[in-house]
Amino acid sequence: MYDTVIVRYGEIFLKSDYVRKRFEDLLARNMEDKMRRERISYKLYRKRHRLYVKTNETGVVCDILKNTFGVVSVSPAREVGSSKDAVIEACLKLAKETIKPVESFAVRVQRTGKHEYKSRDVEAEAGGRIIDALNVRVDLENPEKTIYAEIRDDAAYVFDRKIDGPGGLPYGSQGTLVSLLSTGIDSPVSSWMMMRRGCKMLFLHFGDREEIKDVVEKLASYAGAELPVYCIPKDEILEKISAHAGRYTCVVCKRFMHRLAEKLAQQENAYGIVSGENMGQVASQTLANLKQINCVSMPVYRPLIALDKDDIIKIAREIGTLEYAKGGRCAYVPDKPSTEARDDAIKTAEAELGIEQMLEDVKDRYILKQR
Ligand code: ATP
Ligand code: MG
């Protein structure tokens, strides 16, 4: 039945003509990259504030596009001519295929362009034909099933559902950020949220590549691009830090991560850092400790800061990263981590550690090498 996917996008409307064109081009390119990767045969075209994908594989295309940043919703549809009869016939055909005998229904028509009929005429006539043909009743207020027609100049698209996309802006429409990615629940969500706003992501992970491989792949499926990952072996670093920093280990560790992220960001021309920190969640996330962790001059984006854990878990489930989270506490968390690290204690621990030298060594060994 379906031969086209209608793609609706959102905020791009708000932009100036020049920016809008750039964003639309990027969205189209991202969509095409993903479809090509899945070896879909398709034709893509654009008509006022919508993209249309002509294809025999509308199901797969909807699945791909509902996970593409910038897409507000998609509908598998049937394209027909814009004469009144053609639209009504298509509505009737779709109704026969999709409305169950006892269901209530409505027909909704939207029209742009010049036509010799009104949208309401089509709604009424198509509705009547459907009632005659099927044992169903109209409910305009609260229908169980809706048959939609969008009529655009000389073409019309008939469909019966809108599938939500993630919204946001096309991936890559902003610059690059370095995201601190752990094996937990939070940081894949914070990365995803910034990616949804168009930011390109580069990951920095303290630990093995293997343990984050799957979650990175999941995030990459939204981006439609490979996402670079820098991995740093963490035991050697953390053994040193915990030997000198004691109760302040977590804070010094996070300061180290943020400073290394800044160095990586400078090397890769990234504009800032993303972290999954969340107000009050663990000892290192008190206001006093977050103040200490905020030790770089680059902006640090913390999109989860004011969410509840339940909300973060809900998003993680929806975006498909929850299943890759590994539980378990970091082996280096001290028995009684400090919730209020003071400047002098941090300074002393970091001086003893020779933190600047440590950072340079780690950068030379692992960041430059992985370029
Ligand atoms: P998450 O669920 O993301 O691990 P968390 O609640 O466990 O978060 P922490 O472990 O204290 O919190 O980490 C706070 C943030 O620091 C993480 O969200 C992440 O951005 C960064 N981070 C923590 N561990 C690592 C790691 N091993 N590698 C890179 N970044 C990390
Ligand atoms: Mg963690």
Side-chain angles (χ1 to χ4, degrees):
M1 168 71 199
Y2 306 119
D3 60 7
T4 304
V5 176
I6 307 173
V7 184
R8 305 177 189 85
Y9 44 85
E11 283 168 58
I12 302 180
F13 284 135
L14 304 175
K15 312 283 175 197
S16 64
D17 283 353
Y18 169 78
V19 177
R20 199 187 61 229
K21 167 112 182 40
R22 193 167 70 77
F23 278 30
E24 281 173 348
D25 289 349
L26 185 58
L27 177 60
R29 208 181 320 137
N30 290 352
M31 285 168 46
E32 293 200 81
D33 284 349
K34 285 190 178 192
M35 291 190 290
R36 254 185 246 124
R37 201 164 297 170
E38 299 291 326
R39 302 182 187 288
I40 308 266
S41 79
Y42 68 91
K43 202 172 149 275
L44 182 112
Y45 56 97
R46 236 182 268 195
K47 275 190 226 174
R48 349 164 165 225
H49 309 321
R50 295 262 196 281
L51 289 159
Y52 297 88
V53 181
K54 196 109 202 163
T55 177
N56 293 326
E57 298 165 82
T58 52
V60 190
V61 169
C62 285
D63 283 344
I64 295 173
L65 298 183
K66 74 179 188 205
N67 290 330
T68 298
F69 297 123
V71 172
V72 170
S73 71
V74 295
S75 296
R78 171 98 190 158
E79 182 180 345
V80 294
S82 65
S83 74
K84 192 166 92 178
D85 286 349
V87 179
I88 290 171
E89 283 305 323
C91 289
L92 179 63
K93 187 154 186 277
L94 185 58
K96 284 180 178 168
E97 287 167 14
T98 57
I99 305 181
K100 297 193 195 90
V102 287
E103 278 181 327
S104 61
F105 82 101
V107 177
R108 301 224 193 283
V109 176
Q110 245 199 7
R111 200 173 55 84
T112 55
K114 277 202 163 60
H115 303 96
E116 285 163 2
Y117 54 84
K118 293 211 158 44
S119 302
R120 250 182 297 139
D121 303 338
V122 179
E123 287 176 347
E125 272 187 54
R129 294 276 303 275
I130 292 170
I131 294 170
D132 289 347
L134 305 166
N135 180 23
V136 288
R137 68 195 159 83
V138 173
D139 182 346
L140 296 179
E141 295 276 297
N142 203 7
E144 286 165 295
K145 189 83 199 173
T146 304
I147 302 292
Y148 302 89
E150 286 184 4
I151 303 168
R152 301 269 177 274
D153 300 320
D154 54 357
Y157 302 87
V158 177
F159 56 96
D160 60 308
R161 76 192 89 140
K162 291 182 183 175
I163 304 163
D164 288 341
L169 301 172
Y171 184 76
S173 56
Q174 311 295 318
T176 302
L177 295 173
V178 171
S179 181
L180 282 163
L181 184 71
S182 75
T183 56
I185 295 172
D186 302 338
S187 44
V189 176
S190 54
S191 308
W192 185 89
M193 287 175 81
M194 295 309 285
M195 287 165 69
R196 184 171 67 162
R197 295 305 302 165
C199 304
K200 281 195 192 173
M201 226 35 73
L202 195 88
F203 294 113
L204 177 59
H205 172 62
F206 287 73
D208 298 333
R209 193 169 289 271
E210 195 53 34
E211 62 194 2
I212 46 142
K213 198 176 99 257
D214 292 339
V215 79
V216 169
E217 206 172 291
K218 183 78 208 175
L219 292 167
S221 74
Y222 283 94
E226 265 189 47
L227 303 175
V229 184
Y230 288 75
C231 289
I232 312 290
K234 78 171 181 200
D235 287 329
E236 192 187 330
I237 298 167
L238 267 150
E239 263 153 35
K240 270 195 199 159
I241 292 180
S242 70
H244 286 91
R247 296 181 63 208
Y248 308 114
T249 296
C250 299
V251 174
V252 174
C253 166
K254 294 285 149 39
R255 283 166 61 93
F256 189 88
M257 289 182 181
H258 281 239
R259 281 149 113 177
L260 195 68
E262 185 177 46
K263 287 185 189 296
L264 176 58
Q266 282 158 351
Q267 174 184 294
E268 300 294 329
N269 297 320
Y271 292 96
I273 297 167
V274 185
S275 110
E277 276 145 347
N278 172 244
M279 188 66 245
Q281 193 184 104
V282 290
S284 58
Q285 293 167 8
T286 59
L287 281 179
N289 283 347
L290 285 169
K291 175 169 174 271
Q292 296 295 351
I293 292 169
N294 214 43
C295 61
V296 295
S297 51
M298 244 179 207
V300 178
Y301 299 100
R302 297 180 172 89
L304 310 184
I305 195 70
L307 298 186
D308 284 351
K309 188 75 186 185
D310 284 349
D311 298 330
I312 300 171
I313 291 173
K314 192 163 162 256
I315 302 173
R317 187 175 293 122
E318 278 167 14
I319 66 176
T321 56
L322 186 65
E323 61 183 289
Y324 303 116
K326 296 174 181 64
R329 191 172 143 107
C330 168
Y332 299 92
V333 175
D335 286 342
K336 285 193 182 139
S338 162
T339 52
E340 186 155 12
R342 292 211 327 268
D343 291 354
D344 51 353
I346 298 284
K347 235 186 229 156
T348 310
E350 289 187 347
E352 279 177 26
L353 273 163
I355 205 96
E356 295 299 337
Q357 193 55 48
M358 255 174 92
L359 275 164
E360 285 306 314
D361 292 347
V362 171
K363 180 184 159 192
D364 290 348
R365 274 166 70 190
Y366 301 111
I367 300 260
L368 295 177
K369 206 179 74 184
Q370 290 180 42
R371 272 194 92 155

